[in-house]
Amino acid sequence: MLRPCMDCHPDLERVLFTEEEIRAKVAEVAAQISSDYAGREPILVGVLKGSVVFLSDLARQLEIPAQLDFLSITPFVPSADPGVVRIIKDLDHSIEDRDVLLVEDIVDTGLTLRYLLRALGARRPRSLHVCALLDRASRRLADVPIRYRCFEIPDRFLVGYGLDYQQLYRNLPYVGVMKQGVVKSGIFRG
Ligand code: IMP
Ligand code: MG
């Protein structure tokens, strides 16, 4: 699965998923969503900021009408109590009686997602499902349902295509593995 880095960012060890691989997979998932939601008008809920790049590509590949909304949660702090997540920017619109597709960049322990599913589920949407770009199932602590996923990933710290390290690298068009020395010890085990 891993390939040597040719022209990727110097802070990266390898490219894990190229732009072309991501485009093809996102198109596949978008086609599935378009078919599953045919005749409906889902709200795509993006979790800021990591899911923005994925959501904007996914939305443009859909063949059904869709609305977009965003929420923002307290940042990922691995040293803090992982159960503690807080919404710091809420949705602009009600999701009551709507079909909601929660779009996530990466599901790691699943604790963030579990919190979000509970919070959004309490608002009585007609349906609530998850679409994740990356799934690191090996680290799962909370059993969360992921209806659509693009890629399963290994236990290494990844950046690009929306994913950051200290708010950088989000705009790389591919997903890559950070060099061990660049990720400060204690930030992530990978
Ligand atoms: P979870 O609650 O452990 O599932 O954490 C999910 C969140 O952790 C993601 O939305 C990301 O913000 C962050 N995260 C987990 N792994 C990575 C990674 O490899 N790179 C960048 N962010 C990550
Ligand atoms: Mg996220």
Side-chain angles (χ1 to χ4, degrees):
M1 185 148 65
L2 299 179
R3 72 206 63 181
C5 195
M6 308 294 272
D7 338 285
C8 71
H9 192 287
D11 294 346
L12 299 188
E13 183 181 298
R14 293 179 174 88
V15 170
L16 190 55
F17 305 116
T18 65
E19 230 179 311
E20 293 70 30
E21 285 167 334
I22 295 169
R23 193 179 305 118
K25 187 58 86 171
V26 170
E28 217 176 89
V29 169
Q32 186 62 53
I33 293 170
S34 300
S35 142
D36 292 351
Y37 287 83
R40 293 188 281 162
E41 197 176 274
I43 304 184
L44 307 185
V45 169
V47 184
L48 296 172
K49 310 181 181 82
S51 73
V52 163
V53 178
F54 174 44
L55 185 141
S56 61
D57 280 350
L58 180 76
R60 283 176 294 175
Q61 302 254 28
L62 292 179
E63 287 157 20
I64 48 166
Q67 294 177 11
L68 312 185
D69 207 344
F70 296 91
L71 54 76
S72 183
I73 52 178
T74 42
F76 176 63
V77 183
S79 52
D81 179 349
V84 177
V85 182
R86 206 162 40 85
I87 293 178
I88 50 178
K89 181 238 172 281
D90 209 336
L91 299 176
D92 291 334
H93 303 286
S94 165
I95 55 167
E96 189 171 348
D97 215 22
R98 299 296 309 272
D99 294 305
V100 176
L101 189 57
L102 185 58
V103 180
E104 261 288 22
D105 51 354
I106 173 168
V107 183
D108 188 51
T109 62
L111 293 170
T112 309
L113 188 55
R114 182 173 68 183
Y115 169 81
L116 289 174
L117 287 174
R118 284 180 182 163
L120 297 181
R123 300 177 190 187
R124 289 178 295 165
R126 183 188 303 142
S127 67
L128 175 59
H129 294 289
V130 176
C131 177
L133 175 72
L134 306 173
D135 180 7
R136 193 185 280 123
S138 60
R139 296 233 316 151
R140 199 72 90 250
L141 295 176
D143 184 22
V144 281
I146 303 177
R147 193 182 214 195
Y148 308 98
R149 71 168 57 66
C150 292
F151 302 103
E152 289 265 0
I153 53 164
D155 194 3
R156 293 295 310 276
F157 195 84
L158 307 178
V159 293
Y161 200 71
L163 294 161
D164 76 306
Y165 173 63
Q166 298 188 337
Q167 297 302 325
L168 290 171
Y169 312 100
R170 292 192 197 276
N171 59 322
L172 296 176
Y174 46 79
V175 172
V177 180
M178 287 289 281
K179 277 184 185 158
Q180 299 272 16
V182 180
V183 184
K184 280 193 208 133
S185 57
I187 296 286
F188 194 79
R189 300 172 307 108

